[in-house]
């Protein structure tokens, strides 16, 4: 079956620190992979995506590379800001129109 | 566009009462999804619709839950009777047929059942 496993939180970093949030997946086919972000009191927003192996998704300084050999899609940012404080969800969809499978979310707090 | 609209934003009710959550998807979107988010179970897909037709309701926890989409611009999620364990944040999301990989989420309804 399909599933997503992401690192447990919460994660607390100082401003300008390097961020990595690990995500691995299990899928029966060739899924598309996503990172969504949820700011306090809001719904989830698409942060970035990759639709095939070796693709790199990027947005707002965040990056993630689709690694088929390690079934991973780790989220990285070189220098986090206080405004990046949110909950980050890794997700997969194994075909267009099909449901998403979300990880449990990783809470990030960035302190000045 | 106003985005996905959900109402109410907060609902507090007593056990045994009926609860109705409402969602207005983004105009023109073909897919509508209902999710439930709790600390214990994370984000769970309850049901989704394509062109107003329910496609997969396997995530609906039990018969107390029902969802309808009478037209392209409105959907409801009903819980009858409600129980304390139904307390959660319920999200509605919508997407386009051609871009189902991008779901747009509403702000959620925080339900508390006492």
């Amino acid at each position: 079956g399909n599933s997503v496993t992401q690192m447990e939180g919460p994660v607390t970093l100082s401003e300008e620190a390097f961020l990595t949030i690990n995500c691995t997946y299990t899928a029966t086919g060739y899924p598309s992979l996503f990172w969504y972000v949820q700011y306090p009191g809001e719904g989830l927003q698409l942060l970035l995506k990759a639709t095939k192996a070796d693709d790199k998704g990027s947005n707002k300084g965040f990056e993630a590379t689709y690694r088929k050999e390690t079934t991973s899609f780790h989220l990285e940012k070189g220098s986090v800001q206080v405004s990046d404080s949110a909950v980050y969800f890794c997700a997969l969809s194994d075909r267009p129109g099909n449901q998403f499978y979300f990880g449990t979310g990783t809470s990030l707090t960035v302190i000045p | 566009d106003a985005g996905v609209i959900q109402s109410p934003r907060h609902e507090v009710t007593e056990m045994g009462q009926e609860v109705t959550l409402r969602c207005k998807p983004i105009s023109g979107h073909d897919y509508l999804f209902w999710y439930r988010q709790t600390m214990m179970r994370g984000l769970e897909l309850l049901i989704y619709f394509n062109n107003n037709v329910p496609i997969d309701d396997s995530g609906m926890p039990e018969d107390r839950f029902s969802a309808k989409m009478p037209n392209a611009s409105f959907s409801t999620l009903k819980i009858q009777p409600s129980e304390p364990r139904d307390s959660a944040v319920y999200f509605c999301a919508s997407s386009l047929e051609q871009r189902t990989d991008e779901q747009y989420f509403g702000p959620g309804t925080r339900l508390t059942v006492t």
Side-chain angles (χ1 to χ4, degrees), chain A residues 5-18:
Chain A
T5 303
Q6 61 182 104
M7 66 185 280
E8 296 275 335
V11 174
T12 301
L13 295 174
S14 297
E15 206 164 21
E16 299 184 359
F18 184 85

Side-chain angles (χ1 to χ4, degrees), chain A residues 21-105:
Chain A
I21 300 178
N22 290 337
C23 171
T24 57
Y25 67 90
T26 302
T28 52
Y30 300 94
S32 294
L33 302 173
F34 309 86
W35 278 100
Y36 277 78
V37 58
Q38 183 180 27
Y39 297 104
E42 300 183 10
L44 279 70
Q45 304 174 26
L46 178 65
L47 179 60
L48 54 84
K49 67 179 182 181
T51 58
K52 61 182 186 296
D54 300 325
D55 271 1
K56 177 186 284 187
S58 61
N59 186 25
K60 300 180 180 179
F62 291 89
E63 294 184 339
T65 301
Y66 189 143
R67 301 285 188 201
K68 190 171 184 293
E69 63 276 13
T70 55
T71 61
S72 65
F73 193 56
H74 304 322
L75 182 68
E76 296 181 336
K77 187 174 185 182
S79 175
V80 293
Q81 305 300 313
V82 172
S83 57
D84 294 327
S85 298
V87 180
Y88 292 82
F89 292 87
C90 186
L92 74 80
S93 176
D94 64 358
R95 59 183 182 272
N98 202 16
Q99 68 176 84
F100 274 49
Y101 298 84
F102 285 90
T104 52

